[in-house]
Amino acid sequence: DFWEVAMRRYLIILFALFLLIAPVQAQRGQIGKSVMLSAGSPEDKALTEVTEATDPAKKLELLDKWLAEYGKGDLAILAYEMYVVHYTSEKNYDKAFEYGEKLLALDPDAINMAVSLIRLASEKPDLQRVFTYGEHVAAIIERYKSSPPAEGTSPDDWAKIKSETLAELSSTI
């Protein structure tokens, strides 16, 4: 039966993710891009206006404006995250997936977004997306595990940092 096979596949992916993370210990390394805004900059002030808006329609209007004006390059990641949150709160899963996938196109290692998309796909429910995003998370972890140390970081220190990072992630995943 379809659901039985789908559920087995889902459990296999979850088990595989657990096995990737379980052997490691606790963290501080970054997986994915870190996007920063200068405090008090026009971008920051406009984004604060978006986050403070309480009317969903107004918030979406301000977010559209922010993306058009400031959302170039990696700054679009901030807007896409907010779109996912907005559309998730409206239970508009297809739009949330659309913006989540745009974010993953800019930052393929955005593990928190990939995990969020798994949760959304489970809530919808959309088993194909659960599997797809689960495989994406597994790929992120594998890339991270095999990544070389940053310049100036010893291999031993890098191994410890990765181990700690993955241990912290285990509760998220």
Side-chain angles (χ1 to χ4, degrees):
D1 145 278
F2 170 78
W3 288 108
E4 187 176 319
V5 171
M7 214 38 159
R8 249 191 232 126
R9 211 171 144 199
Y10 176 72
L11 291 172
I12 289 169
I13 288 174
L14 287 178
F15 183 70
L17 288 173
F18 176 76
L19 288 178
L20 289 171
I21 295 168
V24 289
Q25 301 149 7
Q27 134 45 53
R28 283 220 200 295
Q30 173 80 24
I31 299 178
K33 295 179 180 180
S34 180
V35 181
M36 303 287 196
L37 285 179
S38 298
S41 68
E43 298 91 338
D44 179 49
K45 289 177 183 173
L47 198 58
T48 299
E49 187 178 355
V50 172
T51 60
E52 290 176 353
T54 55
D55 175 55
K58 181 66 174 174
K59 182 180 286 269
L60 191 56
E61 176 187 322
L62 290 169
L63 186 53
D64 289 340
K65 181 180 173 187
W66 190 91
L67 180 63
E69 194 167 337
Y70 304 110
K72 309 297 181 260
D74 287 348
L75 286 182
I77 291 171
L78 299 175
Y80 295 156
E81 286 175 345
M82 293 183 78
Y83 279 113
V84 170
V85 169
H86 174 81
Y87 287 119
T88 298
S89 71
E90 292 186 341
K91 303 247 183 251
N92 186 340
Y93 298 108
D94 292 331
K95 287 300 255 184
F97 292 135
E98 175 186 334
Y99 283 99
E101 289 170 9
K102 286 181 179 188
L103 190 152
L104 290 174
L106 287 176
D107 183 4
D109 291 331
I111 195 155
N112 289 331
M113 179 55 63
V115 170
S116 293
L117 292 174
I118 290 171
R119 290 184 182 131
L120 284 177
S122 293
E123 190 176 315
K124 183 174 180 181
D126 183 335
L127 287 177
Q128 185 57 48
R129 278 195 166 117
V130 169
F131 298 136
T132 300
Y133 297 133
E135 290 167 351
H136 191 92
V137 168
I140 291 169
I141 292 169
E142 280 305 308
R143 281 192 300 275
Y144 184 71
K145 286 173 114 179
S146 66
S147 64
E151 189 174 323
T153 304
S154 75
D156 289 342
D157 288 344
W158 182 234
K160 183 178 180 207
I161 290 168
K162 287 194 298 187
S163 176
E164 291 171 355
T165 300
L166 292 169
E168 284 183 14
L169 269 177
S170 67
S171 64
T172 300
I173 296 173

